[in-house]
Amino acid sequence: MTEGLGLRDPGLQPERTRLAWRRTTLSCTVVAVLAARQALYGGATAVGMLGVGLSMLAWAAFLGVAHRRVRALGSVRPEGLRPRVAAAAVGCTLALAAFAVAVVV
């Protein structure tokens, strides 16, 4: 019989997926920092500061989603990405982009 039937495929797919989550988190961090920089150095308005605050909240939420997913990928048999988690990641990303645009305008 085949040995290791219950073990994970030794391929690099889980590692690539972890790296993709980390790159996306880094991109979100850069957007949040640039939005804060633009709001502070471009003249702090009430709308700009609200955009920065909401950007930071969206960034923190995405950071939490990504961290949980990266940890889940470290298990022997990682489960697939649930639709609710995927929707949360997409929602955080879109919200971060919208709030960053609000800061610039």
Side-chain angles (χ1 to χ4, degrees):
M1 295 221 60
T2 58
E3 291 184 35
L5 188 61
L7 296 178
R8 180 168 75 188
D9 179 23
L12 294 176
Q13 191 273 332
E15 181 64 23
R16 286 192 307 266
T17 304
R18 270 194 299 277
L19 290 172
W21 276 99
R22 291 183 193 278
R23 281 191 308 270
T24 306
T25 302
L26 179 62
S27 298
C28 287
T29 302
V30 168
V31 168
V33 168
L34 289 177
R37 181 182 181 276
Q38 177 66 29
L40 295 175
Y41 292 113
T45 64
V47 173
M49 296 312 288
L50 178 64
V52 169
L54 293 174
S55 294
M56 294 301 158
L57 284 175
W59 170 76
F62 184 84
L63 188 65
V65 169
H67 179 71
R68 288 183 67 196
R69 185 61 189 156
V70 167
R71 286 183 53 107
L73 287 169
S75 68
V76 174
R77 197 106 158 123
E79 66 180 55
L81 183 64
R82 288 181 275 163
R84 189 174 69 165
V85 176
V90 169
C92 289
T93 304
L94 292 176
L96 186 59
F99 300 145
V101 168
V103 168
V104 173
V105 173

